[in-house]
Amino acid sequence: MANPFCALHLHIMYRIFRFFLFCFSAETVHHIIAFALKVARYVPFFGPIQRALFTFRSPLLEREVMGLKFKNPIGLAAGLDKNGELVNEFSNFGFSFIEIGSVTPNPQPGNPKPRCFRLIPDQAIVNRFGINNKGAKTVVQNLKQRRRRPIVGGNISKNTLTPNEKAADDYEKAFLRLYDYVDYFVINVSCPNVENLCQLHDVDLLSGIIDRLTEIRRCHDEYRPILLKVSPDLSYEQLNNLIELILISGLDGVVATNTTTSREGLRTSPERLQAIGKGGLSGAPLKQKSLDIIKYIHNKTEGNLPIIGVGGVMTPQDAIDMLNAGASLVQVYTGFIYKGPGFVRQILKKIVKEKV
Ligand SMILES: Cc1cc2nc3c(=O)[nH]c(=O)nc-3n(C[C@H](O)[C@H](O)[C@H](O)COP(=O)(O)O)c2cc1C
């Protein structure tokens, strides 16, 4: 008898499920799924069944990056588990690491709704959430409750109302709060949905933030790698300046890239794009931009700077392209929404098959 849970069946089941989910707004679906996953915690054997269906282990997948041991190179990108509430549940979908956040020192509601839109013909999403999150204190409470221990990255940012000149105070507060509860940090200055945040790519402003965080790290016994998440919309000159700053300031790596403000080459009609308005674009149309930036950073640093590649991974081959371009690890967000819970396992199987 055919296995009812083979990859093809799971894929078809998800396509049907997705058809119904996509009848609701993207943000509503997010809340439904998050609620369902929280309820499922109380269903006996749900976690082990989820792991049996979606995880895939092989010694060929193991990676050591920045001193951390990853069971496989695929992680969940920031933005899906903003408050660190579902770290175990997402790791049961096969991810070896979960990046929570972005987390700001104080809670904030983000931008008015609607603020998240699917561009189905482009396999993409536009969002302008504006870093809505429950604040660092609540996130720590959530992280204290997790039972299993996948690697957790703390993606931190400043509160929207904090002016850029005082941004370092915010990054410091979030960093200090999360220090004992995450395994690495990401400085997010690249979210296009918070006014003027991207100005923090400026080397002078950014070095103020980095100096503070590395100074605090020196006072701790446990070392936490710190990475910088960059925008795909930077010029190569800006990128050169950032690479230089990263190398001299003791940062441990780069996350490349965040969402783009570009709308170039989309199939979605100009009328619909205009109706949606501003926001960061993720998914398939971002892939080439992210890939180019990963290749550029890898070549420029002669492979000496760890890169977490993210942006437009919609097929297992996309993930392999990122690894081949020089990424040590790869993250997924939009691909997971479109391809479903079996996506990570598909990627991992292909990595093993192709011995990447
Ligand atoms: C709805 C949504 C919310 C996001 N929120 C954040 C965030 O809070 N912080 C952050 O650094 N990146 C955030 N991102 C960006 C993702 O982490 C990722 O860099 C980007 O989506 C590109 O990857 P993808 O094409 O696989 O989605 C968000 C992305 C989406 C789609």
Side-chain angles (χ1 to χ4, degrees), residues 21-124:
L21 286 182
F22 278 17
C23 297
F24 299 93
S25 81
E27 191 163 352
T28 305
V29 172
H30 177 85
H31 291 307
I32 294 172
I33 299 289
F35 178 74
L37 287 172
K38 282 182 202 166
V39 171
R41 272 179 201 158
Y42 304 99
V43 177
F45 305 114
F46 184 81
I49 291 171
Q50 210 191 341
R51 284 197 290 282
L53 287 175
F54 302 120
T55 59
F56 184 69
R57 296 284 292 269
S58 160
L60 294 175
L61 291 167
E62 290 166 12
R63 303 283 194 274
E64 187 163 341
V65 185
M66 303 175 296
L68 298 170
K69 290 194 168 94
F70 295 81
K71 284 183 186 147
N72 69 61
I74 307 300
L76 179 67
L80 200 48
D81 189 11
K82 286 182 185 286
N83 299 303
E85 292 168 304
L86 294 165
V87 165
N88 293 319
E89 286 72 14
F90 281 122
S91 81
N92 288 344
F93 286 118
F95 295 107
S96 77
F97 63 111
I98 311 293
E99 196 170 300
I100 60 157
S102 295
V103 181
T104 53
N106 296 316
Q108 61 177 30
N111 292 323
K113 294 176 189 173
R115 51 194 179 173
C116 191
F117 310 86
R118 298 179 203 99
L119 308 187
I120 294 173
D122 290 298
Q123 299 258 299

Side-chain angles (χ1 to χ4, degrees), residues 31-269:
H31 291 307
I32 294 172
I33 299 289
F35 178 74
L37 287 172
K38 282 182 202 166
V39 171
R41 272 179 201 158
Y42 304 99
V43 177
F45 305 114
F46 184 81
I49 291 171
Q50 210 191 341
R51 284 197 290 282
L53 287 175
F54 302 120
T55 59
F56 184 69
R57 296 284 292 269
S58 160
L60 294 175
L61 291 167
E62 290 166 12
R63 303 283 194 274
E64 187 163 341
V65 185
M66 303 175 296
L68 298 170
K69 290 194 168 94
F70 295 81
K71 284 183 186 147
N72 69 61
I74 307 300
L76 179 67
L80 200 48
D81 189 11
K82 286 182 185 286
N83 299 303
E85 292 168 304
L86 294 165
V87 165
N88 293 319
E89 286 72 14
F90 281 122
S91 81
N92 288 344
F93 286 118
F95 295 107
S96 77
F97 63 111
I98 311 293
E99 196 170 300
I100 60 157
S102 295
V103 181
T104 53
N106 296 316
Q108 61 177 30
N111 292 323
K113 294 176 189 173
R115 51 194 179 173
C116 191
F117 310 86
R118 298 179 203 99
L119 308 187
I120 294 173
D122 290 298
Q123 299 258 299
I125 292 176
V126 169
N127 93 83
R128 53 166 173 274
F129 273 103
I131 312 195
N132 56 316
N133 75 104
K134 293 183 179 166
K137 202 172 162 189
T138 304
V139 171
V140 165
Q141 298 304 327
N142 293 337
L143 290 176
K144 278 183 183 169
Q145 283 167 24
R146 70 195 149 128
R147 285 151 293 150
R148 300 175 77 244
R149 283 204 119 265
I151 290 178
V152 173
N155 180 311
I156 53 173
S157 196
K158 73 169 188 75
N159 279 108
T160 304
L161 294 178
T162 306
N164 279 352
E165 305 78 65
K166 295 206 169 139
D169 295 344
D170 273 16
Y171 284 92
E172 179 181 324
K173 282 181 205 155
F175 187 75
L176 274 169
R177 278 230 188 260
L178 292 178
Y179 202 92
D180 292 331
Y181 305 96
V182 300
D183 301 287
Y184 71 88
F185 279 96
V186 176
I187 304 174
N188 177 15
V189 290
S190 48
C191 172
N193 307 311
V194 174
E195 200 155 335
N196 300 334
L197 186 74
C198 287
Q199 286 175 4
L200 293 178
H201 279 103
D202 173 83
V203 168
D204 288 336
L205 289 172
L206 191 54
S207 60
I209 298 171
I210 295 173
D211 287 349
R212 288 257 205 119
L213 303 189
T214 48
E215 189 59 47
I216 295 169
R217 179 169 67 180
R218 255 178 244 128
C219 305
H220 282 78
D221 294 336
E222 298 269 340
Y223 186 86
R224 300 280 182 257
I226 307 173
L227 298 88
L228 179 70
K229 186 162 183 179
V230 296
S231 161
D233 301 326
L234 296 174
S235 68
Y236 282 104
E237 193 192 335
Q238 285 174 304
L239 209 49
N240 287 341
N241 292 338
L242 287 180
I243 293 170
E244 200 180 326
L245 175 66
I246 288 167
L247 293 177
I248 57 173
S249 65
L251 281 197
D252 302 83
V254 180
V255 181
T257 66
N258 213 314
T259 54
T260 175
T261 54
S262 164
R263 300 289 186 266
E264 237 179 81
L266 297 183
R267 289 186 198 153
T268 304
S269 70

